[in-house]
Amino acid sequence: MLGRTLQRQLSRHSLIIADLPEWDITDAGGFSRKLAEAAPDAVIHCAAMTAVDKCETEQDLAYRLNAVGSQNVAMACHRLGIRLIAISTDYVFDGTLDRPYHEFDTAGGAATVYGASKFAGEEAIRTHCPDHVICRISWLYGPGGPSFVHAMMKLADGTRPVLKVVDDQRGNPTSTLAVARHLELLLEHRELAGTFHLTCEGEASWAEFAREIFRLGGKEQAIVPCTTAEFPRPAPRPLNSRLEKRMLRLCGLPPMPHWQEALAEFMAQEPF
């Protein structure tokens, strides 16, 4: 989903679209050879196993993709002198803090295999490729989906008088359009390195997010707020996914848009 948006946003750049089966980040030698042949100025590393519940049952695959795969990408980039921009997640935190997490908060206490494997990937990138930017995102939606926005619009088809939506998890609903624009900024600022949070400003619960989706989508859909405990999942969901964009501020970069503004832009463009 983010990759599709990046293809559109970065259209003025010369892009090499790297995907399976030709490009396999779990094949260290093969990936390095392909990268040497392509010789790009930068790599945007979006490849990951993001099926959070599946990561719990297929732990080796999660670590092979998210940790070892990221290590392979990082080592190849460093060896070839290529700048690396990698995508990570709020799940690297345990979600228990009573305020938004900023980039200098200690990560690594993830409560899920997904979060732990993504943090292992972050650490591999920091170790093996100094010329890197790690961008953490969360609650993502974008053109084509799949996403919470697409799921809610599909469920609000008039056949369900009431929808139960979790109301005790809070985060920053974030558009791939907003992320892609800031990734382009980071591409152009080659002097920058380190970890950046790229979620939209403002916060909401899933229920509040759903209400705004229905309002913008013109849907008359009733919602009943519920708790996380009412929807048990194999991988526990963090109650706090909020991310503060401290590094954008410190580096003098423009702020991310407010989540309601970004959602309105997206809803006006997406055919549901």
Side-chain angles (χ1 to χ4, degrees), residues 107-174:
T112 62
V113 172
Y114 170 62
S117 64
K118 287 293 287 181
F119 182 69
E122 283 191 9
E123 291 290 84
I125 289 165
R126 293 186 182 101
T127 299
H128 297 292
C129 187
D131 187 8
H132 74 263
V133 172
I134 294 169
C135 298
R136 295 182 183 137
I137 55 179
S138 70
W139 289 33
L140 201 65
Y141 62 88
S147 74
F148 182 76
V149 177
H150 292 85
M152 289 297 103
M153 289 295 286
K154 185 176 181 179
L155 288 171
D157 59 2
T159 64
R160 300 167 181 81
V162 173
L163 284 177
K164 292 179 72 174
V165 184
V166 171
D167 198 39
D168 60 351
Q169 298 172 25
R170 299 196 70 77
N172 315 117
T174 298

Side-chain angles (χ1 to χ4, degrees), residues 224-246:
V224 170
C226 67
T227 65
T228 300
E230 293 177 66
F231 279 94
R233 305 289 293 275
R237 271 38 177 186
L239 295 180
N240 176 24
S241 290
R242 298 171 295 163
L243 299 179
E244 179 191 337
K245 277 62 67 177
R246 182 166 294 189

